[in-house]
Amino acid sequence: MSPSDDPLRILQVNTYDVGGGAERIAAQLTGYYRAHGHDAWMAVGLKRWDDPGTFLIPNAALRGPWTRFWWRVYGWLGPHSRRVRALWRVRRVAEYLAEPGIALDRHRGIQSLRYPGTRRILDLPPQPPDLVHAHNLHIDYFDLRELPRLSRARPLLLTLHDMWPFTGHCAHALNS
C-alpha cells in the first residue's frame, strides 16, 4: 500500500473462522489485509477463535425465549447423550422444538432462510466496511435473501469454494 492510498475496511463473511479450506483462506486474507494496513474483520456463523476482529453473527441473540430455552436443553443434554442410551433422540427433539421452521425446511430439503442476524452483518465491525467478501454462505447461519440488500449497501465479492451456490444445495454435485 502506498502512502497516498487510503486503507480499506473489509468484512469477510464465512461459516466459521477456523476449520476447513474456506476458513483457512478467509483467515489468511484477513491477516494479509491487516499486514498491509487495511482494517479487516470477519463475521461468522460459529466463532471458534478469540480474535477480537471476528464477530459472531447474532442469530441466537435475536431469537425468542422459546428458542433460547430449547437450545439450552439441547446443550445440557449433549454431555449426557453418550452415557445414556437413546438420549440423543431426546436431544434431537429439543433441536426441532428450538427451531421448528428450520427443522421443517430441512425435512422438505430446502435451504432455510431463517437467520435474522444476517440483517446485522454490516453493523458488527466498529466501522462500516467498504467491501463485503463472502465465502461459504451455507450450513445454517445466513439468510440468502439479504444478498441483494448487502450488495446495494456495499460492493460484494463472493468467492466460490464449492459448487453449492449454483447447484441449489450440493457442495459437491459429483459426490454420491
Side-chain angles (χ1 to χ4, degrees):
M1 191 164 101
S2 70
S4 63
D5 293 335
D6 289 333
L8 289 174
R9 296 183 306 261
I10 304 162
L11 176 63
Q12 296 191 94
V13 180
N14 200 34
T15 312
Y16 311 107
D17 51 346
V18 176
E23 292 80 15
R24 191 170 27 260
I25 290 168
Q28 287 173 347
L29 285 171
T30 299
Y32 177 86
Y33 297 147
R34 290 175 180 169
H36 287 83
H38 301 289
D39 293 324
W41 309 284
M42 290 181 68
V44 296
L46 181 63
K47 184 176 177 179
R48 296 175 170 164
W49 190 28
D50 63 355
D51 175 46
T54 301
F55 306 102
L56 180 66
I57 297 171
N59 289 312
L62 297 172
R63 305 280 194 211
W66 170 272
T67 300
R68 289 193 304 270
F69 169 78
W70 285 109
W71 278 122
R72 279 194 302 276
V73 170
Y74 176 86
W76 180 81
L77 292 172
H80 308 291
S81 63
R82 292 188 183 176
R83 291 190 305 266
V84 179
R85 185 181 170 148
L87 191 57
W88 66 270
R89 290 182 187 187
V90 177
R91 192 168 190 235
R92 187 72 175 250
V93 169
E95 179 183 13
Y96 288 141
L97 289 171
E99 306 270 6
I102 291 174
L104 181 60
D105 290 343
R106 278 191 199 134
H107 178 72
R108 295 187 312 197
I110 63 172
Q111 177 71 34
S112 186
L113 303 174
R114 302 165 193 262
Y115 302 103
T118 306
R119 292 187 299 271
R120 304 266 176 95
I121 284 177
L122 296 177
D123 301 328
L124 295 175
Q127 300 170 321
D130 297 315
L131 170 72
V132 177
H133 183 180
H135 296 269
N136 283 343
L137 297 179
H138 51 89
I139 312 179
D140 298 332
Y141 82 101
F142 192 88
D143 185 343
L144 293 173
R145 297 173 297 187
E146 290 296 310
L147 282 174
R149 184 187 66 79
L150 280 171
S151 66
R152 282 190 303 272
R154 298 288 183 267
L156 176 66
L157 173 66
L158 178 59
T159 296
L160 306 179
H161 293 277
D162 54 35
M163 296 175 70
W164 177 86
F166 53 89
T167 62
H169 204 71
C170 301
H172 301 285
L174 299 177
N175 242 3
S176 339

